Amino acid sequence: MQRLVDMSTSELIQFAGQHSASIKEVGIYSELMKELTTRLCANTLAVTHALKARDEARLELSSAQLTISQITKVMGTSDTLSISEQVSALNQQVVNLAVENASLLPKAASELSNAWMLHKYWVGIQVALMHVNAGRLHDGMTWLQNTVSGPGIEAPELSDFAEIEAWANEQQKDSIGHVRALEIIKAASPATDAAIANIQAHGVEKFADDCDSDVMLVEPEDAEHYELMGEHARQFAAQLRKEAGNA
């Protein structure tokens, strides 16, 4: 007779079924039960491990699907090549922003310094006028001279009225107003402008998403208005990106 330990589980069960009525020896019966019990425990453990592995795989799959869904929502696609290209583009945007910031910071510091100089001139001129109006012409002239003096600040000594007016007009002909200054700064920092527009567009799109979510919560006669608001919001977001070169 084939040894019980050499039998497969199905062969053991078949053997037990065929000989259950004729097995008289306690040793064979005990050995058969022991082998079946061992196999059953091993199978149960294997099934438990398999179920655990299946559950872990399902969890990982669910997590992966969620991650893909999140990536798709942000990137607009789940294609790895497209995502890689978008990541490269984002990295380049970061580099461009860093370059622009490095250029803008000294300009910002210069403008802050200039603002303080303008305030100093305004105070000096006002004090000079106060002295002149009070009849203290010498004190007024002293304040004016001290206010406008300094390294790199030179002006011609003119006395003729026409010459003075002409010189003053020439010095002020290239003055830049606030609106023009903003235009120059934006032209010199397109990456920063694009990043700001992208942030604004993202906020508009969040509003559009809220409109979509609220459609199911409002009265039927109001649903169409929410749908239109969401549609117009997305169009406006696309326009913001297009104008800033993000489209």
Side-chain angles (χ1 to χ4, degrees):
M1 182 180 66
Q2 183 182 4
R3 293 193 310 166
L4 296 178
V5 72
D6 294 329
M7 295 182 183
S8 65
T9 301
S10 59
E11 288 174 336
L12 279 172
I13 295 172
Q14 185 178 8
F15 177 82
Q18 291 174 348
H19 300 84
S20 58
S22 60
I23 294 177
K24 303 297 183 183
E25 297 181 24
V26 176
I28 296 178
Y29 181 79
S30 176
E31 185 180 350
L32 178 61
M33 291 301 102
K34 179 181 178 181
E35 192 64 30
L36 281 172
T37 302
T38 301
R39 299 290 182 89
L40 182 59
C41 289
N43 285 348
T44 302
L45 185 61
V47 170
T48 301
H49 286 168
L51 290 174
K52 182 179 179 182
R54 183 202 63 184
D55 292 340
E56 291 176 350
R58 284 180 174 175
L59 184 61
E60 291 178 0
L61 176 61
S62 176
S63 178
Q65 290 173 335
L66 178 61
T67 301
I68 292 174
S69 176
Q70 292 172 334
I71 292 174
T72 302
K73 186 175 182 180
V74 173
M75 297 296 192
T77 179
S78 60
D79 179 67
T80 54
L81 178 60
S82 178
I83 291 173
S84 176
E85 292 174 348
Q86 290 189 54
V87 169
S88 297
L90 289 172
N91 287 336
Q92 187 59 49
Q93 287 182 19
V94 171
V95 172
N96 294 341
L97 286 170
V99 171
E100 289 181 2
N101 284 339
S103 173
L104 289 174
L105 283 175
K107 293 179 181 178
S110 176
E111 288 303 313
L112 182 61
S113 176
N114 290 340
W116 165 246
M117 290 296 294
L118 288 173
H119 181 69
K120 172 189 173 184
Y121 291 158
W122 179 81
V123 171
I125 292 171
Q126 293 301 319
V127 171
L129 288 174
M130 293 176 190
H131 283 304
V132 171
N133 290 333
R136 295 183 291 272
L137 183 61
H138 179 268
D139 292 328
M141 289 296 297
T142 300
W143 262 96
L144 279 177
Q145 290 171 350
N146 291 337
T147 297
V148 300
S149 65
I153 301 177
E154 298 179 359
E157 295 183 1
L158 303 174
S159 57
D160 181 73
F161 178 85
E163 291 181 347
I164 294 173
E165 291 292 311
W167 179 82
N169 291 332
E170 178 67 20
Q171 298 303 310
Q172 299 180 74
K173 71 176 184 179
D174 294 326
S175 61
I176 298 175
H178 180 75
V179 174
R180 178 55 183 156
L182 284 177
E183 292 175 350
I184 294 173
I185 291 174
K186 286 185 176 182
S189 54
T192 302
D193 204 33
I196 293 173
N198 195 50
I199 293 171
Q200 293 172 333
H202 183 67
V204 175
E205 288 169 340
K206 292 290 289 182
F207 169 74
D209 290 341
D210 286 342
C211 289
D212 292 343
S213 299
D214 292 342
V215 167
M216 304 301 295
L217 304 177
V218 299
E219 297 296 330
E221 59 269 20
D222 295 327
E224 184 177 357
H225 297 296
Y226 277 78
E227 291 174 353
L228 287 174
M229 283 192 296
E231 181 181 346
H232 290 320
R234 288 190 174 84
Q235 291 175 353
F236 181 60
Q239 180 182 346
L240 285 173
R241 287 194 172 94
K242 183 177 180 180
E243 291 176 354
N246 283 326

